[in-house]
Amino acid sequence: MEWAVLGLFIMFVIVTYIVVQGTRAALAWRKAAAEGDVKVIRDIVEDSLGAWRSMKRPKEVSPDVWRGIQGMQIVEVDAELVRVSCQAEGDYRLVNGRWVETANPLHEAMAVTAKALDMLLYELPHHKPGRVQVDVYMTMREPDRVTERVCILSTTASREDARQVDWEEWTTAQIVEALGGRYRMDDLGQPLPIEVEAPKSVEAEDAGAPPAPSRR
């Protein structure tokens, strides 16, 4: 009986130690991110993107939108800004022997943008970025031209502007419009390429950043 009690006590001490260490690491990351440590912020974002890539798609999110979320890549990170890029291709189906567009790439880009902004603004652990920029790309295929990847929608949202958005009730197009999303369309409603600014050079990063807190 005494050995069983001792074993339980030792197990309790070990678990408590692990929890305390994890909490201390999380607090260290939160403090470093709040102080503008770019390396820590980048690690937080990369860790979150990696977790979302392996996460099961939420039922309320369409497969096309979730594919865009899982394809997000970091473009630029600084003390205030998190900038990512992702992909939207639309959807075509064969109907009565003809290919019919069932999802416009720009509409899909808006849906991906709205979801990405929501997640990056409110679901990053240990860091609340002041601004988030989402650049959505598609593959442009034209006769006699090399296939290229072009940006069709770029949206930058500050935390203050995001507070004015009704994320539950507004359509994705309304969200993008309210946040000043930039895009162009031709006469048929198809997206056209837009110019986006090149990312700044990577900031110097602190080699002494605290270790990543474990996910529980």
Side-chain angles (χ1 to χ4, degrees):
M1 183 66 178
E2 291 82 359
W3 286 108
V5 173
L6 179 60
L8 289 173
F9 176 75
I10 293 174
M11 182 63 69
F12 173 77
V13 170
I14 292 173
V15 171
T16 301
Y17 175 79
I18 293 173
V19 170
V20 169
Q21 290 299 104
T23 301
R24 290 178 62 185
L27 290 174
W29 262 39
R30 192 172 294 120
K31 181 175 183 294
E35 293 174 350
D37 189 316
V38 176
K39 183 180 186 304
V40 168
I41 296 171
R42 177 178 289 274
D43 287 345
I44 289 171
V45 177
E46 287 181 343
D47 188 43
S48 295
L49 295 187
W52 295 338
R53 289 187 192 107
S54 60
M55 190 170 77
K56 184 178 179 181
R57 175 178 63 87
K59 291 183 179 180
E60 69 275 10
V61 181
S62 73
D64 290 339
V65 171
W66 193 243
R67 183 167 57 246
I69 294 299
Q70 292 189 311
M72 285 195 295
Q73 300 288 336
I74 294 177
V75 175
E76 181 180 359
V77 171
D78 64 27
E80 285 295 318
L81 173 70
V82 171
R83 180 181 175 187
V84 300
S85 69
C86 51
Q87 191 90 357
E89 295 294 347
D91 189 37
Y92 294 82
R93 294 183 183 178
L94 193 62
V95 179
N96 297 326
R98 296 178 56 191
W99 285 102
V100 178
E101 182 184 76
T102 57
N104 183 287
L106 185 57
H107 296 166
E108 183 179 317
M110 290 181 177
V112 172
T113 293
K115 185 61 178 176
L117 289 173
D118 188 17
M119 295 177 74
L120 290 167
L121 283 166
Y122 301 114
E123 296 185 22
L124 289 179
H126 317 305
H127 179 56
K128 303 299 180 187
R131 290 181 298 126
V132 171
Q133 179 174 338
V134 178
D135 302 327
V136 186
Y137 288 76
M138 69 169 285
T139 303
M140 187 72 73
R141 301 178 179 88
E142 294 185 9
D144 303 324
R145 290 188 60 181
V146 176
T147 298
E148 58 180 338
R149 190 168 174 262
V150 298
C151 185
I152 59 171
L153 174 63
S154 180
T155 309
T156 302
S158 69
R159 187 163 292 276
E160 181 177 352
D161 290 339
R163 292 192 186 100
Q164 312 306 316
V165 171
D166 189 332
W167 297 93
E168 299 296 328
E169 298 296 330
W170 289 6
T171 66
T172 56
Q174 288 174 322
I175 292 172
V176 169
E177 290 292 341
L179 296 174
R182 295 191 300 108
Y183 60 90
R184 298 193 304 140
M185 294 187 297
D186 63 17
D187 294 338
L188 299 177
Q190 294 299 313
L192 295 171
I194 64 171
E195 295 291 330
V196 290
E197 65 275 17
K200 300 173 184 176
S201 58
V202 178
E203 303 287 345
E205 297 176 344
D206 181 11
S214 59
R215 287 185 173 273
R216 295 189 298 276

